[in-house]
Amino acid sequence: MEPAWTILYGPWSRRFYALALYPTPEPLVVEARTAQELLAQMRQAEQETPVRARPRTAVTPAA
């Protein structure tokens, strides 16, 4: 349901964690006590975090 994120649950901490899979200047991880709070934080992070463009790779012609 969230292809841009990996979502984990920590049974010991009883917290939800989301790790952004899209390129960002720094690793982006958000955490919350409930799934609803996590979703809200994910949406906020998506709006506030600039997306870093992936470097282009040069294509060399086949010989």
Side-chain angles (χ1 to χ4, degrees):
M1 295 177 67
E2 296 292 338
W5 296 86
T6 293
I7 299 173
L8 307 165
Y9 179 72
W12 185 260
S13 65
R14 295 185 179 184
R15 297 186 71 78
F16 291 91
Y17 301 89
L19 295 79
L21 299 177
Y22 53 90
T24 58
E26 297 290 328
L28 178 57
V29 179
V30 294
E31 65 176 273
R33 291 184 334 155
T34 68
Q36 293 79 13
E37 289 175 6
L38 184 71
L39 185 59
Q41 288 191 30
M42 290 163 56
R43 294 299 163 262
Q44 182 178 358
E46 289 170 345
Q47 293 175 353
E48 294 176 355
T49 305
V51 175
R52 184 181 68 204
R54 292 184 181 190
R56 293 184 180 194
T57 56
V59 176
T60 55

Short mmCIF file of all heavy atoms in Angstrom, two decimals:
data_model
loop_
_atom_site.label_atom_id
_atom_site.label_comp_id
_atom_site.label_asym_id
_atom_site.label_seq_id
_atom_site.Cartn_x
_atom_site.Cartn_y
_atom_site.Cartn_z
N MET A 1 0.80 -1.20 0.00
CA MET A 1 0.00 0.00 0.00
C MET A 1 0.85 1.27 0.00
O MET A 1 0.35 2.32 -0.36
CB MET A 1 -0.94 0.00 1.19
CG MET A 1 -1.98 -1.12 1.13
SD MET A 1 -3.06 -1.21 2.57
CE MET A 1 -3.97 0.30 2.39
N GLU A 2 2.08 1.15 0.43
CA GLU A 2 3.00 2.30 0.47
C GLU A 2 4.29 1.93 -0.26
O GLU A 2 5.31 1.62 0.38
CB GLU A 2 3.30 2.70 1.92
CG GLU A 2 2.11 3.19 2.70
CD GLU A 2 1.60 4.53 2.21
OE1 GLU A 2 2.36 5.28 1.55
OE2 GLU A 2 0.42 4.83 2.47
N PRO A 3 4.30 1.95 -1.59
CA PRO A 3 5.49 1.50 -2.32
C PRO A 3 6.74 2.35 -2.12
O PRO A 3 7.84 1.89 -2.37
CB PRO A 3 5.03 1.53 -3.78
CG PRO A 3 3.88 2.46 -3.82
CD PRO A 3 3.22 2.38 -2.47
N ALA A 4 6.59 3.58 -1.65
CA ALA A 4 7.75 4.45 -1.43
C ALA A 4 8.36 4.28 -0.04
O ALA A 4 9.32 4.96 0.29
CB ALA A 4 7.36 5.90 -1.66
N TRP A 5 7.80 3.37 0.76
CA TRP A 5 8.25 3.19 2.14
C TRP A 5 8.36 1.71 2.49
O TRP A 5 7.60 0.89 2.00
CB TRP A 5 7.24 3.81 3.10
CG TRP A 5 7.07 5.29 2.97
CD1 TRP A 5 6.24 5.95 2.11
CD2 TRP A 5 7.73 6.30 3.72
NE1 TRP A 5 6.34 7.29 2.29
CE2 TRP A 5 7.26 7.53 3.28
CE3 TRP A 5 8.67 6.26 4.75
CZ2 TRP A 5 7.70 8.75 3.81
CZ3 TRP A 5 9.11 7.46 5.28
CH2 TRP A 5 8.63 8.69 4.81
N THR A 6 9.30 1.41 3.38
CA THR A 6 9.33 0.11 4.05
C THR A 6 8.82 0.36 5.46
O THR A 6 9.31 1.25 6.16
CB THR A 6 10.76 -0.47 4.11
OG1 THR A 6 11.17 -0.78 2.78
CG2 THR A 6 10.82 -1.73 4.96
N ILE A 7 7.83 -0.43 5.88
CA ILE A 7 7.21 -0.22 7.18
C ILE A 7 7.50 -1.42 8.07
O ILE A 7 7.36 -2.57 7.65
CB ILE A 7 5.70 0.01 7.03
CG1 ILE A 7 5.46 1.26 6.17
CG2 ILE A 7 5.03 0.15 8.39
CD1 ILE A 7 4.04 1.51 5.80
N LEU A 8 7.91 -1.13 9.30
CA LEU A 8 8.26 -2.16 10.28
C LEU A 8 7.51 -1.90 11.58
O LEU A 8 7.15 -0.77 11.88
CB LEU A 8 9.76 -2.12 10.57
CG LEU A 8 10.71 -2.18 9.37
CD1 LEU A 8 12.10 -1.78 9.79
CD2 LEU A 8 10.69 -3.57 8.80
N TYR A 9 7.32 -2.97 12.34
CA TYR A 9 6.76 -2.83 13.68
C TYR A 9 7.74 -3.45 14.66
O TYR A 9 8.21 -4.57 14.46
CB TYR A 9 5.40 -3.53 13.79
CG TYR A 9 4.81 -3.43 15.17
CD1 TYR A 9 4.31 -2.23 15.64
CD2 TYR A 9 4.79 -4.53 16.03
CE1 TYR A 9 3.78 -2.12 16.91
CE2 TYR A 9 4.25 -4.43 17.31
CZ TYR A 9 3.75 -3.22 17.74
OH TYR A 9 3.24 -3.12 19.01
N GLY A 10 8.05 -2.72 15.71
CA GLY A 10 8.93 -3.23 16.75
C GLY A 10 8.13 -3.75 17.92
O GLY A 10 7.59 -2.95 18.69
N PRO A 11 8.00 -5.08 18.07
CA PRO A 11 7.18 -5.61 19.17
C PRO A 11 7.72 -5.22 20.55
O PRO A 11 6.94 -5.03 21.47
CB PRO A 11 7.20 -7.12 18.95
CG PRO A 11 8.26 -7.40 17.96
CD PRO A 11 8.56 -6.13 17.24
N TRP A 12 9.02 -5.09 20.69
CA TRP A 12 9.58 -4.72 22.00
C TRP A 12 9.29 -3.26 22.31
O TRP A 12 8.89 -2.90 23.41
CB TRP A 12 11.07 -4.99 22.02
CG TRP A 12 11.67 -4.74 23.37
CD1 TRP A 12 12.35 -3.64 23.78
CD2 TRP A 12 11.60 -5.61 24.51
NE1 TRP A 12 12.72 -3.76 25.08
CE2 TRP A 12 12.27 -4.97 25.57
CE3 TRP A 12 11.04 -6.86 24.74
CZ2 TRP A 12 12.40 -5.53 26.82
CZ3 TRP A 12 11.18 -7.41 26.00
CH2 TRP A 12 11.85 -6.74 27.01
N SER A 13 9.47 -2.40 21.30
CA SER A 13 9.24 -0.96 21.50
C SER A 13 7.77 -0.59 21.35
O SER A 13 7.37 0.49 21.77
CB SER A 13 10.06 -0.15 20.50
OG SER A 13 9.62 -0.43 19.18
N ARG A 14 7.00 -1.48 20.70
CA ARG A 14 5.59 -1.23 20.41
C ARG A 14 5.41 0.04 19.60
O ARG A 14 4.53 0.87 19.86
CB ARG A 14 4.76 -1.18 21.68
CG ARG A 14 4.72 -2.50 22.40
CD ARG A 14 3.81 -2.45 23.58
NE ARG A 14 3.79 -3.75 24.24
CZ ARG A 14 3.03 -4.05 25.25
NH1 ARG A 14 2.22 -3.14 25.76
NH2 ARG A 14 3.07 -5.24 25.78
N ARG A 15 6.28 0.21 18.61
CA ARG A 15 6.24 1.38 17.74
C ARG A 15 6.30 0.93 16.29
O ARG A 15 6.88 -0.11 15.98
CB ARG A 15 7.39 2.33 18.06
CG ARG A 15 7.28 2.90 19.48
CD ARG A 15 8.33 3.95 19.76
NE ARG A 15 8.12 5.20 19.07
CZ ARG A 15 7.25 6.13 19.43
NH1 ARG A 15 6.47 5.95 20.48
NH2 ARG A 15 7.16 7.26 18.77
N PHE A 16 5.73 1.76 15.43
CA PHE A 16 5.80 1.56 13.99
C PHE A 16 6.91 2.44 13.44
O PHE A 16 7.11 3.57 13.90
CB PHE A 16 4.48 1.95 13.32
CG PHE A 16 3.35 1.01 13.63
CD1 PHE A 16 2.52 1.24 14.72
CD2 PHE A 16 3.10 -0.09 12.82
CE1 PHE A 16 1.46 0.39 15.01
CE2 PHE A 16 2.05 -0.95 13.11
CZ PHE A 16 1.24 -0.71 14.20
N TYR A 17 7.64 1.92 12.45
CA TYR A 17 8.73 2.65 11.82
C TYR A 17 8.53 2.61 10.31
O TYR A 17 8.09 1.60 9.77
CB TYR A 17 10.09 2.02 12.14
CG TYR A 17 10.39 1.98 13.62
CD1 TYR A 17 10.00 0.89 14.39
CD2 TYR A 17 11.06 3.02 14.23
CE1 TYR A 17 10.26 0.85 15.75
CE2 TYR A 17 11.33 2.99 15.60
CZ TYR A 17 10.92 1.91 16.34
OH TYR A 17 11.18 1.87 17.69
N ALA A 18 8.86 3.71 9.64
CA ALA A 18 8.79 3.76 8.18
C ALA A 18 10.10 4.32 7.66
O ALA A 18 10.59 5.35 8.15
CB ALA A 18 7.62 4.62 7.72
N LEU A 19 10.69 3.63 6.69
CA LEU A 19 11.94 4.05 6.07
C LEU A 19 11.64 4.41 4.62
O LEU A 19 11.11 3.58 3.87
CB LEU A 19 12.97 2.91 6.11
CG LEU A 19 13.44 2.48 7.48
CD1 LEU A 19 12.44 1.58 8.14
CD2 LEU A 19 14.77 1.80 7.37
N ALA A 20 11.99 5.62 4.23
CA ALA A 20 11.72 6.07 2.87
C ALA A 20 12.62 5.32 1.89
O ALA A 20 13.82 5.16 2.12
CB ALA A 20 11.96 7.57 2.74
N LEU A 21 12.04 4.87 0.79
CA LEU A 21 12.80 4.18 -0.24
C LEU A 21 13.20 5.10 -1.38
O LEU A 21 13.94 4.69 -2.27
CB LEU A 21 11.97 3.01 -0.80
CG LEU A 21 11.59 1.94 0.22
CD1 LEU A 21 10.71 0.88 -0.44
CD2 LEU A 21 12.84 1.30 0.80
N TYR A 22 12.71 6.32 -1.37
CA TYR A 22 13.07 7.27 -2.42
C TYR A 22 14.31 8.05 -2.00
O TYR A 22 14.62 8.16 -0.81
CB TYR A 22 11.89 8.19 -2.74
CG TYR A 22 11.28 8.91 -1.56
CD1 TYR A 22 11.75 10.16 -1.17
CD2 TYR A 22 10.25 8.34 -0.83
CE1 TYR A 22 11.20 10.83 -0.09
CE2 TYR A 22 9.69 9.00 0.25
CZ TYR A 22 10.17 10.24 0.61
OH TYR A 22 9.62 10.89 1.68
N PRO A 23 15.05 8.58 -2.97
CA PRO A 23 16.30 9.28 -2.64
C PRO A 23 16.05 10.58 -1.87
O PRO A 23 15.23 11.39 -2.27
CB PRO A 23 16.95 9.55 -3.99
CG PRO A 23 15.89 9.35 -5.00
CD PRO A 23 14.82 8.53 -4.40
N THR A 24 16.73 10.72 -0.74
CA THR A 24 16.64 11.92 0.09
C THR A 24 18.06 12.34 0.47
O THR A 24 18.98 11.53 0.42
CB THR A 24 15.83 11.65 1.37
OG1 THR A 24 16.43 10.60 2.10
CG2 THR A 24 14.39 11.28 1.04
N PRO A 25 18.25 13.61 0.86
CA PRO A 25 19.59 14.06 1.23
C PRO A 25 20.18 13.27 2.40
O PRO A 25 21.37 13.02 2.46
CB PRO A 25 19.39 15.53 1.62
CG PRO A 25 18.13 15.94 0.94
CD PRO A 25 17.28 14.70 0.87
N GLU A 26 19.35 12.88 3.34
CA GLU A 26 19.75 12.09 4.50
C GLU A 26 18.78 10.92 4.62
O GLU A 26 17.64 11.02 4.16
CB GLU A 26 19.67 12.94 5.78
CG GLU A 26 20.62 14.12 5.80
CD GLU A 26 22.07 13.71 5.94
OE1 GLU A 26 22.34 12.68 6.59
OE2 GLU A 26 22.92 14.41 5.38
N PRO A 27 19.17 9.82 5.25
CA PRO A 27 18.21 8.73 5.45
C PRO A 27 16.97 9.26 6.17
O PRO A 27 17.07 10.03 7.12
CB PRO A 27 18.97 7.73 6.32
CG PRO A 27 20.40 8.01 6.04
CD PRO A 27 20.49 9.49 5.78
N LEU A 28 15.81 8.84 5.70
CA LEU A 28 14.56 9.35 6.26
C LEU A 28 13.82 8.21 6.95
O LEU A 28 13.42 7.23 6.32
CB LEU A 28 13.69 9.94 5.15
CG LEU A 28 12.32 10.47 5.55
CD1 LEU A 28 12.44 11.53 6.64
CD2 LEU A 28 11.60 11.03 4.33
N VAL A 29 13.68 8.33 8.28
CA VAL A 29 12.97 7.34 9.08
C VAL A 29 12.01 8.10 9.98
O VAL A 29 12.39 9.08 10.63
CB VAL A 29 13.95 6.52 9.96
CG1 VAL A 29 13.20 5.51 10.81
CG2 VAL A 29 14.99 5.83 9.10
N VAL A 30 10.75 7.66 10.00
CA VAL A 30 9.78 8.24 10.92
C VAL A 30 9.24 7.12 11.80
O VAL A 30 9.27 5.96 11.42
CB VAL A 30 8.63 8.97 10.18
CG1 VAL A 30 9.16 10.19 9.45
CG2 VAL A 30 7.92 8.05 9.22
N GLU A 31 8.78 7.49 12.99
CA GLU A 31 8.25 6.48 13.92
C GLU A 31 7.05 7.04 14.66
O GLU A 31 6.91 8.25 14.82
CB GLU A 31 9.32 6.03 14.90
CG GLU A 31 9.80 7.12 15.84
CD GLU A 31 10.79 6.58 16.85
OE1 GLU A 31 10.36 6.08 17.91
OE2 GLU A 31 11.99 6.66 16.58
N ALA A 32 6.17 6.12 15.09
CA ALA A 32 4.96 6.54 15.79
C ALA A 32 4.42 5.38 16.61
O ALA A 32 4.78 4.22 16.38
CB ALA A 32 3.92 7.00 14.79
N ARG A 33 3.52 5.69 17.54
CA ARG A 33 2.92 4.66 18.39
C ARG A 33 1.80 3.92 17.68
O ARG A 33 1.54 2.76 17.99
CB ARG A 33 2.38 5.29 19.68
CG ARG A 33 3.47 5.78 20.59
CD ARG A 33 2.96 6.31 21.91
NE ARG A 33 1.59 6.81 21.83
CZ ARG A 33 0.77 6.88 22.86
NH1 ARG A 33 1.17 6.49 24.04
NH2 ARG A 33 -0.44 7.35 22.73
N THR A 34 1.12 4.58 16.76
CA THR A 34 0.01 3.93 16.06
C THR A 34 0.22 4.01 14.55
O THR A 34 0.97 4.87 14.05
CB THR A 34 -1.35 4.59 16.39
OG1 THR A 34 -1.37 5.91 15.82
CG2 THR A 34 -1.59 4.65 17.89
N ALA A 35 -0.47 3.14 13.83
CA ALA A 35 -0.38 3.15 12.37
C ALA A 35 -0.92 4.46 11.81
O ALA A 35 -0.38 5.00 10.83
CB ALA A 35 -1.14 1.96 11.79
N GLN A 36 -1.97 4.99 12.40
CA GLN A 36 -2.54 6.25 11.92
C GLN A 36 -1.56 7.41 12.10
O GLN A 36 -1.41 8.26 11.21
CB GLN A 36 -3.86 6.56 12.65
CG GLN A 36 -4.98 5.60 12.33
CD GLN A 36 -4.88 4.27 13.08
OE1 GLN A 36 -4.10 4.12 14.03
NE2 GLN A 36 -5.64 3.29 12.65
N GLU A 37 -0.89 7.44 13.25
CA GLU A 37 0.11 8.48 13.49
C GLU A 37 1.28 8.33 12.52
O GLU A 37 1.81 9.33 12.02
CB GLU A 37 0.64 8.40 14.92
CG GLU A 37 -0.34 8.82 15.97
CD GLU A 37 0.19 8.61 17.39
OE1 GLU A 37 1.38 8.25 17.55
OE2 GLU A 37 -0.58 8.79 18.34
N LEU A 38 1.67 7.10 12.24
CA LEU A 38 2.77 6.87 11.31
C LEU A 38 2.40 7.38 9.92
O LEU A 38 3.20 8.06 9.27
CB LEU A 38 3.12 5.38 11.24
CG LEU A 38 4.31 5.05 10.36
CD1 LEU A 38 5.60 5.54 11.01
CD2 LEU A 38 4.39 3.56 10.09
N LEU A 39 1.21 7.08 9.46
CA LEU A 39 0.78 7.54 8.14
C LEU A 39 0.79 9.06 8.06
O LEU A 39 1.25 9.64 7.07
CB LEU A 39 -0.62 7.00 7.85
CG LEU A 39 -1.16 7.28 6.46
CD1 LEU A 39 -0.26 6.71 5.38
CD2 LEU A 39 -2.56 6.72 6.33
N ALA A 40 0.34 9.73 9.10
CA ALA A 40 0.36 11.20 9.12
C ALA A 40 1.79 11.73 9.06
O ALA A 40 2.07 12.68 8.32
CB ALA A 40 -0.34 11.71 10.37
N GLN A 41 2.70 11.09 9.78
CA GLN A 41 4.10 11.53 9.76
C GLN A 41 4.75 11.26 8.39
O GLN A 41 5.58 12.04 7.93
CB GLN A 41 4.88 10.84 10.87
CG GLN A 41 4.53 11.37 12.23
CD GLN A 41 5.49 10.87 13.29
OE1 GLN A 41 6.65 10.61 13.03
NE2 GLN A 41 4.99 10.74 14.51
N MET A 42 4.37 10.15 7.78
CA MET A 42 4.90 9.85 6.44
C MET A 42 4.47 10.92 5.45
O MET A 42 5.28 11.40 4.65
CB MET A 42 4.42 8.47 5.99
CG MET A 42 5.06 7.33 6.76
SD MET A 42 4.19 5.76 6.60
CE MET A 42 4.15 5.50 4.84
N ARG A 43 3.19 11.31 5.48
CA ARG A 43 2.69 12.34 4.57
C ARG A 43 3.37 13.68 4.83
O ARG A 43 3.73 14.40 3.90
CB ARG A 43 1.16 12.50 4.71
CG ARG A 43 0.39 11.30 4.26
CD ARG A 43 0.64 11.00 2.76
NE ARG A 43 0.22 9.65 2.46
CZ ARG A 43 1.04 8.59 2.38
NH1 ARG A 43 2.32 8.73 2.60
NH2 ARG A 43 0.60 7.40 2.08
N GLN A 44 3.59 14.00 6.09
CA GLN A 44 4.28 15.25 6.43
C GLN A 44 5.71 15.22 5.91
O GLN A 44 6.20 16.19 5.34
CB GLN A 44 4.25 15.48 7.93
CG GLN A 44 4.91 16.77 8.36
CD GLN A 44 4.82 16.99 9.86
OE1 GLN A 44 4.24 16.20 10.59
NE2 GLN A 44 5.40 18.07 10.32
N ALA A 45 6.40 14.10 6.11
CA ALA A 45 7.78 13.98 5.65
C ALA A 45 7.87 14.08 4.12
O ALA A 45 8.79 14.69 3.59
CB ALA A 45 8.37 12.66 6.12
N GLU A 46 6.90 13.50 3.42
CA GLU A 46 6.89 13.58 1.96
C GLU A 46 6.76 15.02 1.48
O GLU A 46 7.36 15.40 0.48
CB GLU A 46 5.73 12.74 1.39
CG GLU A 46 5.96 11.27 1.53
CD GLU A 46 4.73 10.44 1.19
OE1 GLU A 46 3.61 10.99 1.12
OE2 GLU A 46 4.89 9.22 1.02
N GLN A 47 6.03 15.83 2.20
CA GLN A 47 5.85 17.24 1.82
C GLN A 47 7.06 18.09 2.19
O GLN A 47 7.38 19.04 1.48
CB GLN A 47 4.60 17.81 2.48
CG GLN A 47 3.32 17.19 1.98
CD GLN A 47 2.10 17.67 2.73
OE1 GLN A 47 2.20 18.37 3.73
NE2 GLN A 47 0.93 17.28 2.25
N GLU A 48 7.71 17.76 3.29
CA GLU A 48 8.80 18.60 3.81
C GLU A 48 10.18 18.21 3.32
O GLU A 48 11.10 19.02 3.39
CB GLU A 48 8.78 18.57 5.34
CG GLU A 48 7.55 19.19 5.95
CD GLU A 48 7.52 19.08 7.45
OE1 GLU A 48 8.41 18.43 8.03
OE2 GLU A 48 6.58 19.64 8.06
N THR A 49 10.37 17.00 2.84
CA THR A 49 11.70 16.52 2.47
C THR A 49 11.93 16.67 0.98
O THR A 49 11.16 16.15 0.18
CB THR A 49 11.86 15.03 2.85
OG1 THR A 49 11.56 14.89 4.23
CG2 THR A 49 13.27 14.55 2.58
N PRO A 50 12.99 17.38 0.61
CA PRO A 50 13.28 17.48 -0.82
C PRO A 50 13.75 16.13 -1.35
O PRO A 50 14.49 15.41 -0.70
CB PRO A 50 14.40 18.52 -0.89
CG PRO A 50 15.04 18.48 0.47
CD PRO A 50 13.95 18.08 1.43
N VAL A 51 13.30 15.81 -2.54
CA VAL A 51 13.71 14.56 -3.17
C VAL A 51 14.99 14.83 -3.95
O VAL A 51 15.05 15.75 -4.75
CB VAL A 51 12.61 14.02 -4.10
CG1 VAL A 51 13.09 12.79 -4.85
CG2 VAL A 51 11.36 13.72 -3.31
N ARG A 52 16.00 14.03 -3.69
CA ARG A 52 17.28 14.18 -4.39
C ARG A 52 17.21 13.41 -5.69
O ARG A 52 16.82 12.24 -5.72
CB ARG A 52 18.41 13.63 -3.51
CG ARG A 52 19.78 13.84 -4.12
CD ARG A 52 20.85 13.27 -3.23
NE ARG A 52 20.71 11.80 -3.24
CZ ARG A 52 21.12 11.00 -2.30
NH1 ARG A 52 21.68 11.49 -1.23
NH2 ARG A 52 20.97 9.70 -2.39
N ALA A 53 17.57 14.07 -6.77
CA ALA A 53 17.56 13.41 -8.06
C ALA A 53 18.63 12.33 -8.10
O ALA A 53 19.73 12.50 -7.56
CB ALA A 53 17.81 14.43 -9.17
N ARG A 54 18.30 11.22 -8.72
CA ARG A 54 19.29 10.15 -8.87
C ARG A 54 20.28 10.55 -9.95
O ARG A 54 19.90 11.12 -10.96
CB ARG A 54 18.60 8.85 -9.26
CG ARG A 54 17.74 8.32 -8.14
CD ARG A 54 17.15 7.01 -8.50
NE ARG A 54 16.32 6.56 -7.38
CZ ARG A 54 15.81 5.37 -7.29
NH1 ARG A 54 15.99 4.49 -8.24
NH2 ARG A 54 15.09 5.04 -6.26
N PRO A 55 21.55 10.24 -9.74
CA PRO A 55 22.54 10.59 -10.78
C PRO A 55 22.27 9.80 -12.06
O PRO A 55 21.87 8.64 -12.02
CB PRO A 55 23.88 10.20 -10.16
CG PRO A 55 23.55 9.30 -9.04
CD PRO A 55 22.13 9.58 -8.61
N ARG A 56 22.46 10.46 -13.16
CA ARG A 56 22.27 9.79 -14.45
C ARG A 56 23.48 8.93 -14.76
O ARG A 56 24.60 9.31 -14.46
CB ARG A 56 22.08 10.81 -15.56
CG ARG A 56 20.80 11.59 -15.42
CD ARG A 56 20.62 12.48 -16.59
NE ARG A 56 19.37 13.23 -16.44
CZ ARG A 56 18.80 13.89 -17.40
NH1 ARG A 56 19.37 13.95 -18.59
NH2 ARG A 56 17.70 14.53 -17.18
N THR A 57 23.24 7.81 -15.36
CA THR A 57 24.35 6.95 -15.75
C THR A 57 24.55 7.08 -17.25
O THR A 57 23.59 7.15 -18.01
CB THR A 57 24.05 5.48 -15.39
OG1 THR A 57 22.83 5.10 -15.98
CG2 THR A 57 23.94 5.30 -13.88
N ALA A 58 25.78 7.12 -17.63
CA ALA A 58 26.12 7.26 -19.04
C ALA A 58 25.89 5.93 -19.74
O ALA A 58 26.22 4.86 -19.22
CB ALA A 58 27.55 7.70 -19.21
N VAL A 59 25.32 5.99 -20.91
CA VAL A 59 25.08 4.80 -21.71
C VAL A 59 26.14 4.79 -22.79
O VAL A 59 26.27 5.73 -23.58
CB VAL A 59 23.67 4.81 -22.33
CG1 VAL A 59 23.48 3.61 -23.23
CG2 VAL A 59 22.63 4.87 -21.24
N THR A 60 26.92 3.72 -22.83
CA THR A 60 27.95 3.62 -23.86
C THR A 60 27.45 2.71 -24.97
O THR A 60 26.85 1.68 -24.71
CB THR A 60 29.26 3.04 -23.28
OG1 THR A 60 28.97 1.80 -22.66
CG2 THR A 60 29.85 3.98 -22.24
N PRO A 61 27.68 3.11 -26.19
CA PRO A 61 27.21 2.28 -27.32
C PRO A 61 27.97 0.96 -27.37
O PRO A 61 29.14 0.88 -26.99
CB PRO A 61 27.48 3.14 -28.55
CG PRO A 61 28.32 4.28 -28.11
CD PRO A 61 28.31 4.33 -26.62
N ALA A 62 27.27 -0.07 -27.78
CA ALA A 62 27.92 -1.39 -27.92
C ALA A 62 28.91 -1.35 -29.06
O ALA A 62 28.69 -0.71 -30.08
CB ALA A 62 26.85 -2.45 -28.17
N ALA A 63 30.02 -2.06 -28.87
CA ALA A 63 31.07 -2.05 -29.90
C ALA A 63 30.78 -3.03 -31.00
O ALA A 63 30.06 -3.93 -30.95
CB ALA A 63 32.41 -2.41 -29.27
#
